[in-house]
Amino acid sequence: MAGVEAGYFVRALELRSGAELRIKQCDTGDVGCVVWDAALVLAKYLETSSFYRDGLHTFTGKSVVELGSGTGLVGLMASVLGAHVTVTDLEDMQELLNINISDNKHLVTGSIDAKVLKWGESVKDLPPDPDYILVADCIYYEQSLEPLLRTMKELAGKNTCIICCYEERTMGNNPEIEIRFFKLLQTDFEIEEIPLDKHDEEYKSEDIHILQIKRK
Ligand SMILES: C[S@@+](CC[C@H](N)C(=O)[O-])C[C@H]1O[C@@H](n2cnc3c(N)ncnc32)[C@H](O)[C@@H]1O
């Protein structure tokens, strides 16, 4: 069947160049094993004209850390656009991350590697003060909010730009989780929402938000 390779199913994402990122997902495993809509929206936003100056992408040669990378789509896109990227997630996600890095390495113009990072734990193995931190669909359970914020705070320097994309969900306690996250976030960070008309024309949705976040 098209798109299915032994034990995996592939999410292909066409790039501006016409090439395709091919991301393996698996249907057994935790939430990180599939590409979430917020990752698609963020990955395609990174390709929009807002990021180009004189034909050069603003990620060229810049350091990028992605948190809760899951399959690695967003980090891979950043590395295709010329950034030096570290994708991070829990130990269990490292195999899938490395498979996707290896499958797409022919498209990478910067560099990319995967590291274990559990939110709230030491960030000493990661590049300090990265130019960008990318976060897609990581605001979804209560116990992770404070550790995630601690990691963002420890990792971000005063010039780091955090780009966070999340899907607004109305089910269960998701609304309360979002409210709590943004309340805590505002203590140390300034938040600016990217208007919908700046998102990719095709990969956008009223309930998926992109925020640009900087340390106060
Ligand atoms: C909903 S998935 C989103 C994955 C990917 N960013 C995307 O949008 O497709 C959330 C990700 O956060 C990771 N995650 C959850 N709790 C974590 C923690 N405490 N520390 C590090 N990563 C965590 C999960 O393993 C998963 O890959």
Side-chain angles (χ1 to χ4, degrees):
M1 194 195 297
V4 178
E5 294 167 32
Y8 298 106
F9 54 109
V10 173
R11 179 65 166 92
L13 185 65
E14 191 175 343
L15 305 176
R16 264 162 65 130
S17 64
E20 268 184 354
L21 275 171
R22 293 183 61 79
I23 305 295
K24 284 192 175 127
Q25 313 174 94
C26 41
D27 47 19
T28 55
D30 206 354
V31 290
C33 294
V34 294
V35 174
W36 289 82
D37 287 347
L40 291 165
V41 167
L42 179 52
K44 289 303 285 185
Y45 169 62
L46 298 179
E47 269 200 319
T48 60
S49 56
S50 322
F51 286 90
Y52 286 88
R53 303 275 178 280
D54 304 323
L56 200 67
H57 196 280
T58 49
F59 276 18
T60 308
K62 296 285 167 47
S63 61
V64 170
V65 174
E66 188 191 0
L67 304 179
S69 302
T71 61
L73 170 69
V74 171
L76 271 159
M77 177 66 96
S79 72
V80 168
L81 295 168
H84 298 296
V85 181
T86 308
V87 284
T88 69
D89 208 301
L90 301 171
E91 181 73 51
D92 287 356
M93 295 307 304
Q94 299 299 308
E95 188 182 351
L96 186 60
L97 275 173
N98 280 308
I99 288 172
N100 283 325
I101 290 172
S102 164
D103 286 359
N104 293 282
K105 63 176 183 296
H106 56 290
L107 298 171
V108 172
T109 64
S111 62
I112 180 162
D113 70 342
K115 292 219 160 107
V116 176
L117 174 68
K118 184 170 181 193
W119 303 328
E121 296 191 350
S122 169
V123 296
K124 70 173 170 23
D125 289 342
L126 298 174
D129 297 355
D131 296 298
Y132 294 89
I133 297 174
L134 303 175
V135 191
D137 210 347
C138 288
I139 308 162
Y140 66 104
Y141 70 106
E142 174 69 38
Q143 305 90 298
S144 71
L145 300 183
E146 289 190 19
L148 174 59
L149 281 160
R150 213 159 43 243
T151 293
M152 286 166 61
K153 220 173 123 182
E154 267 185 48
L155 203 54
K158 68 176 179 13
N159 295 316
T160 302
C161 174
I162 302 173
I163 309 178
C164 172
C165 185
Y166 74 100
E167 182 170 348
E168 198 180 331
R169 296 185 170 102
T170 51
M171 278 171 54
N173 62 348
N174 280 297
E176 289 78 31
I177 287 174
E178 279 163 25
I179 290 167
R180 182 158 160 67
F181 180 79
F182 291 113
K183 192 166 171 237
L184 291 168
L185 184 68
Q186 278 165 31
T187 315
D188 298 293
F189 294 95
E190 310 268 10
I191 307 164
E192 184 193 330
E193 175 143 15
I194 307 296
L196 201 58
D197 64 4
K198 298 272 187 208
H199 296 202
D200 179 83
E201 270 179 31
E202 188 184 343
Y203 288 85
K204 68 175 167 186
S205 167
E206 291 283 350
D207 57 355
I208 299 186
H209 304 270
I210 303 178
L211 308 173
Q212 197 166 292
I213 301 166
K214 288 205 160 171
R215 282 192 84 119
K216 277 187 176 164

